[in-house]
Amino acid sequence: MLYNEACGEKLSRLGFGCMRLPQTLEKTIDEIELQRMVDYAIAQGVNYFDTAWPYHGGLSEIAIGKALAKYPRETWFLADKYPGHQIASSYNPAEIFEQQLKKCGVDHFDFYLLHNIYENSIGVYMDPQWGILDYFVEQKRLGRIKHLGFSCHARPDTLEKFLDYAGDKMEFCQIQLNYLDWTLQDAQAKYELLTRRGIPIWVMEPLRGGRLAVLSDADTARLRTLRPDESTASWALRWLQNLPNVRMVLSGMSAFDQVSDNVRTFSGGEPQTEAEAALLAEIADGLKNALPCTRCRYCCDGCPMELDIPLLIHTYNDLKFAGSMLVAMQLDVLPEDKQPSACIGCGACAAICPQNIDIPAAMSDLADRLSKIPSWAETCRQREEAARKLREQAQAGT
């Protein structure tokens, strides 16, 4: 197993993500299979496990705590997260933190993150009435948290705003990073910003929810011509190994063969060459099907609604690739009159666009796509209701 020194600890470069644990036919966590996966991962040198309050309706913390309990506490690192992005549920930091320790069966967390800082949650994390940052800084002082950091799905300017506020208290940052999002979600800019600030990077979604593990037959054949013994997933993971400030790569593994394949990738092998990285960049361009916006902002000057058109097109490109709530929530913070639905279709933007993009058509399609995705707040409410039912079922079965 390859290791990195980060935050004064020796960490396996491969981290075991607990958002997509194996499930039974009844859609509950398959604890027997999970134990087999954890046993193998630990035997192969994996020592970092990452969970969070909302994963699997609140049951991920319990399941991974049970799976790790058979091993000496000092032999593994456990990370958990505070759900400040779901503050609508009135989560008290102390109450949640105490529950998390109990659910995981530990007296401290090795790594703890402020979860999902983005445009619509940064205000909550920075609002003194909640006292979130102060509380967790104090828990670190008390030794109940060894290393404090945060996860972020925000745009680079929002990330920088949070770093200005609390960067001196953050030891690491977890971002979505892969060879597709290097350009599609401005991950390169986030990587460079965090590197300049001296903050080590933890990677989430290295396979884009599994999308980069299953390419077209043609693209897969191109990769296998160069590395016939490596899986498509290993290409994405090995690409990250060439970024020196990436200290941890989290993979949400839901099957034993995924664990064994990932362990093989992080146990050695030749580094990816420049030519191989260039091939992945070419494949990424083919996956995007993106509008060729260069962010020149000429379109903004004549927009009667004063829309941030480059931002909206950026989100549109991302949403076309994978229509998910995580993409849609980037626009939650925008007022109603700055949403794509506010576009009046006057065409002033298209007339001046150097790339000849039909911007009104894109805004109309974006508004339609967004209307079919549940709002972030509603999704949080649905998750909480599902979590409540799962907890009640679990308690009834004990």
Side-chain angles (χ1 to χ4, degrees):
M1 176 57 56
L2 300 174
Y3 293 89
N4 274 326
E5 292 288 338
C7 301
E9 310 284 3
K10 183 180 179 181
L11 306 175
S12 57
R13 290 193 188 182
L14 172 63
F16 196 119
C18 299
M19 187 173 72
R20 300 182 178 96
L21 298 177
Q23 295 186 322
T24 66
L25 294 176
E26 292 75 29
K27 301 301 181 182
T28 60
I29 296 173
D30 187 337
E31 294 189 7
I32 295 176
E33 183 65 6
L34 173 60
Q35 188 69 66
R36 186 167 80 103
M37 291 162 61
V38 168
D39 289 346
Y40 180 81
I42 288 180
Q44 299 302 314
V46 175
N47 63 10
Y48 189 96
F49 299 83
D50 170 273
T51 187
W53 176 264
Y55 293 174
H56 286 276
L59 299 180
S60 171
E61 294 164 316
I62 297 172
I64 193 60
K66 289 181 179 177
L68 292 171
K70 63 187 288 188
Y71 297 98
R73 182 64 182 89
E74 68 275 9
T75 62
W76 42 268
F77 299 99
L78 181 61
D80 209 337
K81 309 178 187 75
Y82 172 71
H85 59 297
Q86 296 177 321
I87 203 67
S89 301
S90 300
Y91 287 161
N92 177 277
E95 179 183 338
I96 294 301
F97 186 68
E98 296 299 337
Q99 287 189 51
Q100 289 178 310
L101 289 170
K102 183 177 180 180
K103 288 169 69 179
C104 292
V106 296
D107 62 4
H108 73 277
F109 288 113
D110 305 285
F111 293 82
Y112 197 84
L113 299 86
L114 306 182
H115 197 180
N116 194 13
I117 290 171
Y118 77 110
E119 283 68 26
N120 212 27
S121 68
I122 187 172
V124 170
Y125 281 110
M126 294 174 61
D127 191 333
Q129 74 166 309
W130 302 108
I132 295 172
L133 182 61
D134 290 343
Y135 175 78
F136 289 113
V137 167
E138 176 64 8
Q139 298 313 300
K140 180 182 174 183
R141 187 190 70 80
L142 294 173
R144 305 177 84 200
I145 294 172
K146 292 182 67 177
H147 305 288
L148 182 63
F150 68 107
S151 69
C152 181
H153 281 284
R155 296 188 292 271
D157 58 337
T158 304
L159 171 58
E160 186 165 28
K161 180 180 179 181
F162 185 75
L163 290 175
D164 289 341
Y165 168 71
D168 61 328
K169 299 177 179 65
M170 299 291 106
E171 294 183 73
F172 64 104
C173 177
Q174 190 165 303
I175 63 172
Q176 182 168 317
L177 178 59
N178 51 65
Y179 68 82
L180 176 70
D181 287 322
W182 188 246
T183 52
L184 188 58
Q185 284 200 0
D186 282 342
Q188 180 179 4
K190 300 174 194 178
Y191 174 89
E192 292 172 350
L193 171 60
L194 290 164
T195 300
R196 287 196 305 273
R197 295 291 188 108
I199 296 179
I201 293 171
W202 272 223
V203 170
M204 57 182 160
E205 298 293 353
L207 301 176
R208 240 320 177 114
R211 180 66 178 82
L212 299 182
V214 184
L215 301 177
S216 68
D217 290 344
D219 285 337
T220 300
R222 296 170 74 189
L223 299 181
R224 286 183 177 168
T225 298
L226 298 176
R227 292 185 183 238
D229 297 327
E230 291 205 2
S231 66
T232 304
S234 72
W235 275 80
L237 298 175
R238 206 173 291 285
W239 180 85
L240 292 163
Q241 293 177 10
N242 281 3
L243 297 174
N245 196 31
V246 169
R247 312 298 176 85
M248 169 64 57
V249 178
L250 294 166
S251 179
M253 297 172 278
S254 56
F256 186 86
D257 62 337
Q258 295 172 0
V259 181
S260 60
D261 185 54
N262 288 348
V263 164
R264 184 164 52 251
T265 299
F266 282 89
S267 294
E270 292 296 321
Q272 208 163 77
T273 66
E274 290 185 9
E276 289 171 334
L279 174 57
L280 288 180
E282 185 179 331
I283 289 174
D285 286 340
L287 291 171
K288 292 175 193 173
N289 187 29
L291 296 180
C293 176
T294 62
R295 304 194 183 192
C296 67
R297 304 193 69 82
Y298 294 167
C299 55
C300 297
D301 294 338
C303 178
M305 304 306 294
E306 299 183 346
L307 301 181
D308 189 340
I309 296 172
L311 169 64
L312 296 175
I313 290 179
H314 177 81
T315 304
Y316 180 54
N317 285 336
D318 200 353
L319 203 60
K320 283 199 300 178
F321 176 78
S324 72
M325 178 191 60
L326 284 176
V327 178
M329 74 183 189
Q330 298 175 26
L331 301 184
D332 278 356
V333 72
L334 297 181
E336 194 65 32
D337 63 350
K338 296 297 181 270
Q339 295 283 343
S341 56
C343 173
I344 61 175
C346 68
C349 51
I352 201 173
C353 176
Q355 307 302 319
N356 297 313
I357 299 172
D358 186 347
I359 298 173
M363 295 300 100
S364 176
D365 192 28
L366 175 56
D368 182 62
R369 290 171 185 261
L370 289 170
S371 70
K372 298 173 181 176
I373 299 176
S375 71
W376 178 244
E378 175 61 17
T379 298
C380 289
R381 188 197 67 75
Q382 292 173 359
R383 283 183 174 178
E384 276 302 292
E385 179 62 18
R388 182 187 64 77
K389 292 181 179 178
L390 285 170
R391 285 194 293 269
E392 290 176 353
Q393 292 172 5
Q395 290 170 358
T398 56

